[in-house]
Amino acid sequence: MNPIFHSGAFAGKTVVVTGSSRGIGKKMAQAFAASGANVVVNYSGSQQQAEETVQQIQDQGGQAVAIRADLSSIADIRALFDQTLEQFGRLDILVNNAGIMNTLPLAQVTEEDFDRHFTLNAKGTFFACQAAVEHLGEGGRIINISTSVIGGMLPGYSVYAGTKGAVEQFTRQLAKELGPKGITINAVAPGPVNTELFLEGKSEQQIAGITGMNAFGRLGETEDITGAVLFLASEEARWITGQTLRVNGGFN
Ligand code: NAD
């Protein structure tokens, strides 16, 4: 894969991308590695996919390790960063990407659905920020992955959008707390992207309808998201914090 930034742009930096065995997270892990970073490919269940991702990165001359941690568990989150420090000796960038989405009308949402979404998407993101900040120094970066469905009123998305609303608010609230440490925190909110999370359970007709909601009439691809994330992780983004960047092809 071509580096988005030059191949040494992130040399010497360590990046943790949560949930990066597939989808958008995998593409970000590959892009960081191609730009010189040491990358932690985090997974919870899919060890084989995580190991394949690491192998692909290493085959391209990059540095990566796979570390298992369920981002719903605070103990696992803390262990993820401890192991990252053991492997690479430092932490510079956290991308909070791990997430789940199940769309259901209000009447069908169960307590279990609600808790599962909030426990991973909101609580996991929050406590990963807390654990990462112990290790991040001046120039540290946190990028939280939100969603552009927050801007709409799509039926069935209430719980999922609620979790990402929390993520965007954490991002804003933490900006001034982390600024004195020289750390920026921002969110990237993709529109619909061609991944299993988006495609699962949708008919061709639903996908075509959603595809028609952006300016370009095609579905977003994982590589459409990585540039914004790498930019926010770079030194060039030092004056940007507390913001959400909607990376969605004009999805509305
Ligand atoms: P995906 O399902 O392909 O990837 C999600 C990743 O999270 C997977 O690697 C999965 O194994 C991991 N994960 C799930 N539960 C986990 C847990 N408990 N602990 C650690 N990792 C876990 O989905 P994706 O589309 O690549 O989504 C990535 C992020 O982007 C999510 O936060 C999602 O909400 C967000 N997003 C996706 C879209 C889209 O249309 N695909 C749009 C906007 C935002």
Side-chain angles (χ1 to χ4, degrees), residues 24 96-106 109-110 112-123 125 144-168 170 188-193 195-199 202 210 246 251:
I24 298 169
N96 269 311
N97 167 78
I100 49 168
M101 178 185 82
N102 185 17
T103 56
L104 283 174
L106 176 62
V109 175
T110 63
E112 195 270 334
D113 283 321
F114 186 96
D115 287 347
R116 215 163 46 89
H117 280 78
F118 271 86
T119 303
L120 177 62
N121 298 6
K123 189 181 92 172
T125 295
N144 295 325
I145 304 300
S146 177
T147 174
S148 282
V149 300
I150 275 191
M153 298 179 190
L154 291 174
Y157 284 82
S158 54
V159 172
Y160 174 68
T163 65
K164 297 295 191 175
V167 167
E168 291 194 18
F170 296 153
V188 164
V193 177
T195 68
E196 289 175 52
L197 174 138
F198 170 74
L199 297 172
K202 290 194 178 69
I210 292 172
R246 308 215 173 277
F251 171 82

Side-chain angles (χ1 to χ4, degrees), residues 227-251:
V229 174
L230 264 71
F231 166 65
L232 288 171
S234 75
E235 165 61 18
E236 296 311 310
R238 61 190 165 272
W239 201 237
I240 303 172
T241 196
Q243 306 301 310
T244 296
L245 186 52
R246 308 215 173 277
V247 182
N248 59 20
F251 171 82

Side-chain angles (χ1 to χ4, degrees), residues 94 96 129 132-133 136 140-144 178 183-187:
L94 164 65
N96 269 311
C129 291
V133 164
L136 290 171
R141 300 278 186 266
I142 298 176
I143 295 113
N144 295 325
L178 302 185
I183 299 167
T184 69
I185 178 166
N186 291 288

